[in-house]
Amino acid sequence: MRRGLDQGVVATFIFAPPVAAVLWLLFLSGRFDDVAAAVLWVLFLLALRPLVWHWAASRDRLSPERATAYRERERHSVNTAFAAAVLVGLAAFDVLRLPGAPYWTDQPRASFALVPVLAYLLWLALHADIPAEVSAGYRRLFGAKEGP
């Protein structure tokens, strides 16, 4: 595997979360609040990690070893990202009030903002690694699925 810093990944991790936070705030409220932007920056920093690793692993010029390492990082970051994306979705409807966040007076905008969050949650759920112990626990709790 080629060693060294992957500048594209670093740049994406640095710039994607604050851009997403500012765009989210401007779309929902039409104004910028530094405290709400800071909280959203942290949430987007956690939520966007699997997407960044997925993008990084899918690039053409990447060595197979590095692509495998990036896919592994993607799988390991899904659970945290899922929780952060749920918090962002709840914040869109003021179910979870963020510090400094204005009340989203335009609820149709909140509904439109929630659509990409739900699509992202579905994508995360499809990429989640569910530990065998958790899966076995659910099977014991709810019983094995019967055939058709």
Side-chain angles (χ1 to χ4, degrees), residues 50 74-80 82 121-131:
E74 173 191 350
R75 281 194 301 277
H76 290 298
S77 62
V78 167
N79 294 336
T80 309
F82 192 86
L121 286 172
L122 179 63
W123 181 82
L124 286 172
L126 292 173
H127 286 80
D129 266 350
I130 300 172

Side-chain angles (χ1 to χ4, degrees), residues 1-2 4-10 13 49-50 52-59 62-77:
M1 176 164 80
R2 193 181 122 243
L5 188 66
D6 192 335
Q7 294 173 351
V9 173
V10 171
F13 274 124
R49 282 174 45 212
V52 173
W53 289 125
H54 184 79
W55 163 78
S58 66
R59 293 180 297 168
L62 207 58
S63 70
E65 295 86 15
R66 188 169 271 205
T68 301
Y70 286 173
R71 281 190 203 92
E72 192 70 22
R73 290 177 184 159
E74 173 191 350
R75 281 194 301 277
H76 290 298
S77 62

Side-chain angles (χ1 to χ4, degrees), residues 79 128-140:
N79 294 336
D129 266 350
I130 300 172
E133 296 84 9
V134 173
S135 193
Y138 278 121
R139 275 195 301 277
R140 279 193 309 270

